Amino acid sequence: KEVQCADIVVVNFTVLSSSNYFTRLARLAGANTSSVGKSGGRHFNALYNECLRSLEKRVRMLKHDFTAVFDAVEEDAYNNVTEERKDDGIRLDGKKAVYKKVSEEQTKEDETVRTEVKDVKQKQANDKISKKERDPWGLLYQKKLEDMKSPPLELFFWNRLVVDEFHYLQEKKDRSRVLTLVLGVKSCYRWCLSGTPPHENFIDVQSLAKLLGIHLGVYDAALPGVKLSRRNNNEESGLEKLTAFLEQRSIQWHETRHHHAQRFLDMFVRQNIAEIDEIKFEEHIEKVNLPSGERAIYLELETYLKSLDALKGKKSTKAALKSKKSAKGDRELRMQKVLEDSETAEEALLKRASHFDMSAKASTAEEACACLVDIRRTQLEDCESELLDFITRALRQRNRILQLDPSWKGCQGGMKGEVQDRLHIFLKDVAEKQSISGGADDEVHEKVIDLVNRAKELVKEKPRIYDEYFAEVNNDNAEEEETVGKKRKHPSTKSKAATKSEEEERLYNMKYRLREYMHKVRGCTKELCGRIRSLRYFNCVRNFTTAEQSDIRMKCVGCSNLVTSNEAGVFSCCGHQGCLNCMRHFSDLQKCVDISCSAQVKPTHIVPASALIGSGDNNEGGGKYGKKLTTIISKVKKLVTEDGDRVIVFVQFQNLKEKVAKAFKDHKVRALQVKGSVDKQIKALDILQKENPGKDDPRVIILTMDDESSAGVNLTTCNHAVFVHPLLADSQQQYDAYETQAIGRIRRYGQTKTVHIWRYLANDTIDEDVYKERNCSSD
C-alpha cells in the first residue's frame, strides 16, 4: 500500500545487488533459489526471466486467494528440493551445469521422504531457511494484497523508471544483477542519467540503447585496431567466438552501424552542459621526492616485476592471482606475494609509490628494506630448489627413455615425426652459457651449471623418487599392478603387433611429454636469472642509500678506474655497477659494462649513485607512512586548521584507502569514510554537507575515485580535492569519466569558493608515467 501511494520510490544499487533480494524473488515466484549464482550472466538472466513469467501467475493468485499463496510457495520450494535430490538430476549453478552424484544412502533417504506426510515434507524442505526468510512478505498473517510487506519491484508497473549514474551498471562487475533488474522492471517511460556516459564506440551506444529497451543490432567485433572493453567475453560460447572469424564485416557495414547509433543518440539522448566556468578553478601538481630508502624499495619492485615480464600486460598477473592450486614455490605463488593483493603490476607500483609497505609489517623504510632482502633471498632459494627439481625430473625421464631407445640421444627431430631431444639441447646450452633467452651473466650461468651437476648426482643416488611426475605417461601404475599380481590380461592374449604398437605409442608419449616439460625448465631458468639480477640490484641500491657521499669509492668494470659517488651508477636491468661515462657509452651500444652480461641495456636503465645517496632534504625520511602520505597529511592539516576549509581525499584502491585513513587518525586529523549501511553513509555525508560545521566535526572525507561514492554527491561545502595518485583506468574514456565525476563533487552549482585540485606525484615513478599518458591523450 505504501508503495502504491508513494509518488517516488528511491532504491539503492546495493539493495538490488544483494543476494537476499533475488533469493526472495525466486522463492516468491516458485523458482529454484539454490540456482541463483553470486554474479550475473546468461544463466542468471534466464532464471530471472523465468521468475518474471512465474510472478505473473503469482500476482493473479495474490489478488483472488491471498491466503493460499504461502502454501503454494512452500509447495514449490519442496518440489525444487525434491528435484535437486534426484539421482540423475542436474543443478544449474551460475553458468555451469554441476552433475550431482547421489549415494545409495541418499537414495534410500529420498524414498523414505516420499512416504511421509506432505506437510512434514514441506517442513523438511524449508528447515534450512529461517522463519523470516520463509515469509518476508507477511503472507501468513496478512489478509489483503495491499498489506503485503517487502513487495518486489517487479510486482508493479511503474510510470517512470529513473536510473541515476547508469554507467556504473555496465562498468562494475558486481552491478550486472542490477542491470538485469533494470531491464526487467516494466514502466511507461525510462530516464537514464549520467554525467559521464560511455559513448566511445558502437558497443557503448548499443548498451545504452538496451537500457531504454531499444535493439540497435547484433553484437559484432569492432574494426581492426579498435579496443573494446566488453565484459562478457568469458560467457561467449565456442561457436560465437568462431563466428567472429568466419564472417568479417566490411568497412561500409561498420559505417552504417555508426550512422544507426548516431540516429539513436540524436533522437533519444539529451546533453545538458553545466555552465560552471564562473567557478574559479586552480590545479596544483605537487612533486614528491622519495627518500633514499623508499626510492630503493620502489626501484626494487619495478625491476623485479620487469624481470618477471609482469609489466608487459595483465595476463600474467591475472593468471597468477587466479591460480589457486599452485604448489609452494610456483612462479604464480611467488608473483602473488610480490603483488601484495594487487590485480596488476601497475597497481602494485602505484601503491608502492604512495607507501613503501602495504603489508604494515615494517614501521620505517629501512626496516622494509631489510625485510625485502630476506624475502627476495628466500624466493631466490625457492626458485633454485624448484629448478633443481625440474632438471632432476627431466634427467630421470630422459634416462628412462634412453633405456628403451638408446638411439634417441641428441635427436634433432625430422620429417618422420620423431620428437626432438630438447634436454640434450638445454644441457649443451648450459655448457656453452647460452641456456637463458635474452642472455645472462657469469654469475647466473655458474649457478645453472652448479644446479645441473647437482641434479645429475641426485639422479644417480635416488633415481626412483623422481618418477612420480611422469608416472601417468610412463604407465608406471599399470606396471606396479602387474608386478603385485593384480588381475590383468596376460600379454599373450594380444597379438605381437598390437603390443608393439602400444609400446611405440607409450615411448612417443614419454618423449613428447619430456619435450613439453622443457618449457617449464627454460621458464624457471629465466626466472632464476631475473631473481639474481633483482637481488644484486637491490643490494647495490641499498648500499648506495645507506652510505655517505664521501664513502663511495668503487672500481669501474669498464675502464678499471676508481670513481666517486658523483661518477658512479648502476644498471637497473641487471644490477652491474660502473662509472657513468662507461655506462652511457655501453648503453648506447645496448651493452652492459660487464662483458659477461648479455642484458639488453638502454640509457634509461642508468641509475646514478648521486640520486640514491641521501643528502639534505632528499634524505629526510617520511616516517611510518612514507614521504608522500606525510606530505599530503601535512598539507591537508594546514588547509583544515589554518584556512578553515574542507577537503576531499580521493584514493582508488581499498587497502591504500585504509592506510590513508589510519595515517590521518595517527596524525590527529579527523576524517570520514563513506562505508557501511546506507544510513551510515548518509550520516557521514550529512556531516560534510553542513553549512556551519561544529568545532569537533570532521573536515576531511576519504572517497574512492572509481565508484558511486565519487558520483552524484553534492559536496560544495568542500573546495579542495586531493588525488593521492593518478587514476589507473582501462581506457582514456574511463579515465576522463571517473576524474570528471570526482572533481564534479565540488565544482558544481552552489560552490562559492575557489576550487583547488591537488595532484601528488612521486618523482621518477609510475605516477608520472600514468599522468603524462592520460593527460597527453586528453590534450
Side-chain angles (χ1 to χ4, degrees):
K1 184 177 181 180
E2 293 179 357
V3 176
Q4 289 179 324
C5 297
D7 294 328
I8 299 175
V9 177
V10 181
V11 184
N12 194 287
F13 280 172
T14 56
V15 175
L16 300 179
S17 59
S18 66
S19 300
N20 288 338
Y21 181 87
F22 289 100
T23 301
R24 292 179 179 181
L25 175 65
R27 180 173 170 81
L28 180 63
N32 192 346
T33 56
S34 62
S35 300
V36 181
K38 295 182 180 180
S39 60
R42 283 185 167 182
H43 169 65
F44 179 81
N45 295 342
L47 180 63
Y48 179 75
N49 291 329
E50 180 185 346
C51 291
L52 293 182
R53 290 190 293 268
S54 302
L55 202 60
E56 295 179 3
K57 300 178 182 178
R58 200 72 84 197
V59 170
R60 288 193 292 268
M61 185 180 294
L62 286 168
K63 289 181 178 179
H64 298 94
D65 193 358
F66 187 84
T67 57
V69 174
F70 181 76
D71 293 336
V73 171
E74 294 284 279
E75 175 71 17
D76 290 338
Y78 163 71
N79 293 334
N80 291 329
V81 172
T82 305
E83 184 68 23
E84 274 195 355
R85 300 175 70 176
K86 288 183 179 179
D87 295 0
D88 56 347
I90 300 176
R91 178 174 64 86
L92 291 176
D93 187 7
K95 64 179 181 180
K96 297 180 179 179
V98 181
Y99 291 81
K100 299 184 67 179
K101 298 181 179 180
V102 185
S103 63
E104 294 181 0
E105 295 181 357
Q106 289 175 321
T107 304
K108 293 178 180 179
E109 183 182 348
D110 289 341
E111 295 176 356
T112 304
V113 171
R114 293 190 187 98
T115 60
E116 294 178 355
V117 184
K118 183 178 179 179
D119 294 340
V120 178
K121 294 179 183 178
Q122 292 176 350
K123 183 178 182 301
Q124 290 177 348
N126 294 277
D127 277 345
K128 296 181 179 179
I129 304 175
S130 63
K131 292 182 179 180
K132 183 178 180 181
E133 290 301 321
R134 287 181 64 187
D135 187 21
W137 316 281
L139 300 177
L140 283 174
Y141 52 87
Q142 301 294 348
K143 297 182 179 180
K144 295 187 298 183
L145 177 61
E146 290 77 10
D147 298 329
M148 182 180 179
K149 293 185 176 182
S150 304
L153 301 178
E154 289 79 1
L155 281 182
F156 304 93
F157 187 88
W158 303 88
N159 182 48
R160 179 174 286 108
L161 180 67
V162 181
V163 185
D164 192 18
E165 305 296 349
F166 69 87
H167 59 278
Y168 286 110
L169 296 179
Q170 300 162 338
E171 295 176 356
K172 294 293 183 180
K173 296 179 181 179
D174 58 345
R175 294 291 183 262
S176 56
R177 282 186 167 192
V178 185
L179 178 60
T180 302
L181 169 69
V182 170
L183 297 176
V185 175
K186 304 299 182 182
S187 63
C188 293
Y189 307 99
R190 285 175 179 263
W191 284 1
C192 299
L193 309 178
S194 174
T196 54
H199 57 278
E200 188 176 6
N201 49 55
F202 178 82
I203 304 301
D204 291 337
V205 180
Q206 186 184 41
S207 61
L208 172 59
K210 188 177 180 181
L211 284 170
L212 300 180
I214 299 174
H215 180 64
L216 290 185
V218 298
Y219 172 81
D220 190 83
L223 293 171
V226 178
K227 183 179 179 181
L228 299 179
S229 57
R230 191 172 184 238
R231 298 186 178 274
N232 294 327
N233 287 337
N234 293 334
E235 292 199 337
E236 284 185 336
S237 64
L239 179 59
E240 290 173 328
K241 293 179 181 179
L242 177 62
T243 305
F245 295 96
L246 293 178
E247 185 178 3
Q248 294 294 330
R249 308 292 186 178
S250 63
I251 300 296
Q252 291 76 13
W253 187 86
H254 284 283
E255 186 176 355
T256 303
R257 275 161 54 96
H258 283 287
H259 286 305
H260 197 46
Q262 188 59 52
R263 285 180 56 199
F264 164 79
L265 294 175
D266 295 338
M267 186 176 298
F268 294 99
V269 178
R270 184 181 70 184
Q271 180 181 10
N272 296 331
I273 300 176
E275 298 178 358
I276 56 176
D277 295 337
E278 65 274 10
I279 300 177
K280 295 182 180 181
F281 177 82
E282 295 182 9
E283 186 169 356
H284 314 271
I285 298 178
E286 300 291 320
K287 296 292 186 73
V288 179
N289 290 319
L290 296 180
S292 55
E294 295 182 37
R295 177 160 174 76
I297 295 172
Y298 174 84
L299 291 175
E300 187 275 339
L301 178 62
E302 183 182 48
T303 305
Y304 194 68
L305 291 174
K306 286 181 178 178
S307 70
L308 298 179
D309 295 331
L311 290 174
K312 291 184 178 180
K314 298 182 179 180
K315 291 184 178 180
S316 59
T317 50
K318 287 188 176 181
L321 291 168
K322 292 179 180 179
S323 178
K324 298 181 180 179
K325 298 182 179 179
S326 300
K328 184 178 180 181
D330 275 356
R331 180 181 187 275
E332 289 80 6
L333 187 58
R334 289 192 291 268
M335 177 74 81
Q336 289 177 349
K337 294 180 180 179
V338 173
L339 293 179
E340 295 179 344
D341 299 326
S342 301
E343 291 190 2
T344 63
E346 289 78 6
E347 178 182 335
L349 284 175
L350 280 172
K351 293 177 182 178
R352 184 61 61 87
S354 299
H355 192 267
F356 55 83
D357 183 22
M358 293 302 301
S359 62
K361 294 180 180 179
S363 58
T364 62
E366 288 70 23
E367 289 184 16
C369 285
C371 292
L372 272 175
V373 171
D374 295 336
I375 292 173
R376 294 299 181 252
R377 282 176 179 167
T378 301
Q379 291 176 340
L380 176 58
E381 292 172 359
D382 291 341
C383 186
E384 291 178 9
S385 177
E386 187 176 46
L387 180 57
L388 179 62
D389 287 341
F390 284 173
I391 297 175
T392 309
R393 292 174 190 166
L395 288 171
R396 171 57 179 165
Q397 180 69 357
R398 183 168 178 263
N399 290 343
R400 294 191 62 178
I401 294 173
L402 293 179
Q403 289 176 2
L404 300 174
D405 184 8
S407 63
W408 186 68
K409 184 176 181 180
C411 179
Q412 298 296 322
M415 298 300 294
K416 296 182 179 180
E418 185 58 84
V419 181
Q420 190 180 45
D421 185 2
R422 292 190 176 177
L423 179 55
H424 174 79
I425 299 174
F426 173 76
L427 296 176
K428 182 180 177 182
D429 290 341
V430 170
E432 297 175 356
K433 296 185 177 181
Q434 297 178 356
S435 60
I436 300 173
S437 61
D441 52 75
D442 284 344
E443 182 182 355
V444 179
H445 288 306
E446 293 299 331
K447 176 60 69 175
V448 176
I449 292 173
D450 177 63
L451 292 174
V452 170
N453 293 332
R454 288 166 58 188
K456 291 179 180 179
E457 293 296 327
L458 290 173
V459 171
K460 292 179 181 179
E461 294 174 2
K462 300 178 181 179
R464 290 188 176 275
I465 65 175
Y466 298 100
D467 289 339
E468 183 179 357
Y469 185 85
F470 294 98
E472 182 179 355
V473 70
N474 294 345
N475 205 17
D476 289 344
N477 296 332
E479 291 179 359
E480 290 178 4
E481 290 178 4
E482 185 176 2
T483 303
V484 174
K486 292 185 178 181
K487 291 183 179 180
R488 179 180 174 88
K489 292 183 179 181
H490 195 274
S492 61
T493 59
K494 298 182 178 180
S495 64
K496 294 183 179 180
T499 305
K500 183 178 180 181
S501 176
E502 289 182 359
E503 291 299 327
E504 290 177 352
E505 182 179 358
R506 174 194 172 196
L507 182 59
Y508 177 84
N509 291 335
M510 293 171 66
K511 296 175 182 178
Y512 183 81
R513 185 67 178 275
L514 177 60
R515 189 193 76 169
E516 296 303 309
Y517 188 72
M518 290 308 299
H519 290 298
K520 298 182 69 174
V521 177
R522 293 278 188 177
C524 193
T525 307
K526 185 175 181 180
E527 182 185 352
L528 177 68
C529 174
R531 293 188 181 281
I532 292 176
R533 286 175 171 175
S534 177
L535 184 58
R536 180 200 300 145
Y537 169 69
F538 186 60
N539 284 331
C540 178
V541 170
R542 192 186 179 199
N543 292 335
F544 282 154
T545 57
T546 56
E548 296 292 337
Q549 190 166 6
S550 58
D551 294 340
I552 299 297
R553 291 288 188 277
M554 55 169 288
K555 184 178 181 180
C556 176
V557 181
C559 60
S560 301
N561 294 330
L562 289 176
V563 294
T564 61
S565 59
N566 294 328
E567 301 170 338
V570 59
F571 281 127
S572 62
C573 58
C574 60
H576 287 122
Q577 308 173 48
C579 69
L580 293 178
N581 291 332
C582 290
M583 295 178 72
R584 294 190 186 101
H585 171 72
F586 283 102
S587 62
D588 290 337
L589 302 175
Q590 295 187 349
K591 294 182 179 180
C592 179
V593 290
D594 190 331
I595 300 176
S596 68
C597 182
S598 303
Q600 297 294 321
V601 180
K602 299 179 181 179
T604 54
H605 292 156
I606 301 175
V607 180
S610 57
L612 299 173
I613 299 173
S615 61
D617 295 336
N618 193 41
N619 198 33
E620 294 181 359
K624 181 178 179 181
Y625 294 103
K627 184 71 173 180
K628 189 177 185 181
L629 292 186
T630 303
T631 304
I632 292 174
I633 293 172
S634 176
K635 181 64 179 180
V636 171
K637 201 170 185 178
K638 178 179 180 299
L639 295 173
V640 170
T641 57
E642 297 182 10
D643 301 340
D645 293 335
R646 285 184 271 190
V647 183
I648 304 178
V649 179
F650 288 106
V651 189
Q652 184 175 3
F653 312 113
Q654 185 60 35
N655 52 355
L656 181 58
K657 182 180 177 181
E658 297 296 331
K659 181 74 70 175
V660 172
K662 194 172 186 304
F664 275 115
K665 182 178 180 181
D666 290 351
H667 284 79
K668 298 181 180 180
V669 178
R670 297 195 63 187
L672 291 172
Q673 293 191 67
V674 181
K675 61 181 182 179
S677 63
V678 177
D679 292 336
K680 291 182 179 179
Q681 295 180 27
I682 293 175
K683 289 180 181 179
L685 293 173
D686 287 343
I687 296 176
L688 263 294
Q689 290 173 336
K690 290 182 181 179
E691 292 293 337
N692 299 311
K695 182 179 180 181
D696 297 330
D697 286 341
R699 293 175 176 266
V700 179
I701 185 170
I702 306 173
L703 298 178
T704 306
M705 67 175 75
D706 62 345
D707 66 6
E708 294 92 327
S709 65
S710 304
V713 182
N714 188 346
L715 293 173
T716 52
T717 54
C718 304
N719 64 313
H720 293 270
V722 176
F723 290 89
V724 176
H725 59 84
L727 174 67
L728 187 63
D730 294 333
S731 63
Q732 183 67 40
Q733 189 270 336
Q734 189 182 65
Y735 176 88
D736 295 336
Y738 285 150
E739 189 169 275
T740 301
Q741 290 283 357
I743 297 176
R745 299 315 96 222
I746 59 177
R747 197 185 184 200
R748 60 194 301 151
Y749 295 121
Q751 181 60 261
T752 58
K753 297 182 179 180
T754 301
V755 173
H756 296 271
I757 307 299
W758 304 87
R759 303 182 189 274
Y760 284 84
L761 308 177
N763 282 327
D764 300 322
T765 65
I766 194 174
D767 284 358
E768 292 185 329
D769 298 335
V770 173
Y771 181 75
K772 288 178 182 178
E773 178 187 1
R774 292 307 182 189
N775 285 275
C776 288
S777 300
S778 62
D779 294 341

